[in-house]
């Protein structure tokens, strides 16, 4: 079992920055990759960023150049640095993890391949 817990959300003005953290606990030896998703009220959950077990990162077009995903393997913490925030970034942010043995790397944008989710942390951007 893998347990994920997000933190770091809050309210910020447009143009500001936030860093989200996701603490990982439990059995992680077979972990394939992790990602950040977000869901705004009335909208579907959408992928934000992905990081593979080897450190490969991928981003959704709408955050590319503004957000950065990283992880501290020793501390088992996943991060999402968010810069140049806009009102459109307002959402609940979730971290998610996919465990093996099967690791479908071509499906990283699909929320249904992730078996573990945190409870979410709210990010609100005001103008």
């Amino acid at each position: 079992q893998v347990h994920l817990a997000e933190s770091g959300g809050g309210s910020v003005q447009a143009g500001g920055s936030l860093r989200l953290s996701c603490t990982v606990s439990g059995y992680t030896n077979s972990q394939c990759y992790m990602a950040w998703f977000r869901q705004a009220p009335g909208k579907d959950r959408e992928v934000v960023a992905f990081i593979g077990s080897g450190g490969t990162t991928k981003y959704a077009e709408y955050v590319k150049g503004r957000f950065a995903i990283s992880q501290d393997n020793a501390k088992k913490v996943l991060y999402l640095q968010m810069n140049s925030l806009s009102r459109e970034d307002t959402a609940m942010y979730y971290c998610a993890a996919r465990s093996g043995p099967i690791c479908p790397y071509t499906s990283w944008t699909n929320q249904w391949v992730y078996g573990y989710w945190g409870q979410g942390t709210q990010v609100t951007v005001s103008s």
Side-chain angles (χ1 to χ4, degrees):
Q1 276 285 29
V2 176
H3 181 68
L4 308 176
E6 303 94 335
S7 61
S11 297
V12 64
Q13 287 194 327
S17 300
L18 279 176
R19 189 176 80 158
L20 306 183
S21 300
C22 173
T23 302
V24 184
S25 59
Y27 182 75
T28 60
N29 285 4
S30 64
Q31 189 169 289
C32 300
Y33 46 75
M34 296 190 69
W36 287 96
F37 283 76
R38 69 186 185 185
Q39 187 168 21
K43 294 188 176 181
D44 293 335
R45 188 171 297 186
E46 60 183 11
V47 71
V48 173
F50 155 98
I51 187 164
S53 57
T56 300
T57 59
K58 299 181 181 182
Y59 298 92
E61 284 299 321
Y62 33 84
V63 304
K64 197 173 289 185
R66 301 188 298 123
F67 290 13
I69 188 172
S70 62
Q71 61 186 14
D72 184 327
N73 289 324
K75 296 182 179 179
K76 291 190 175 181
V77 181
L78 178 73
Y79 299 103
L80 183 68
Q81 178 66 44
M82 306 186 294
N83 300 324
S84 301
L85 286 162
S86 69
R87 291 186 63 181
E88 289 68 35
D89 296 314
T90 294
M92 186 72 80
Y93 284 71
Y94 300 89
C95 64
R98 165 78 186 197
S99 293
I102 298 173
C103 300
Y105 285 96
T106 57
S107 301
W108 66 277
T109 61
N110 184 348
Q111 62 174 309
W112 303 111
V113 306
Y114 296 85
Y116 300 98
W117 293 84
Q119 81 288 350
T121 186
Q122 178 68 38
V123 172
T124 302
V125 184
S126 59
S127 58

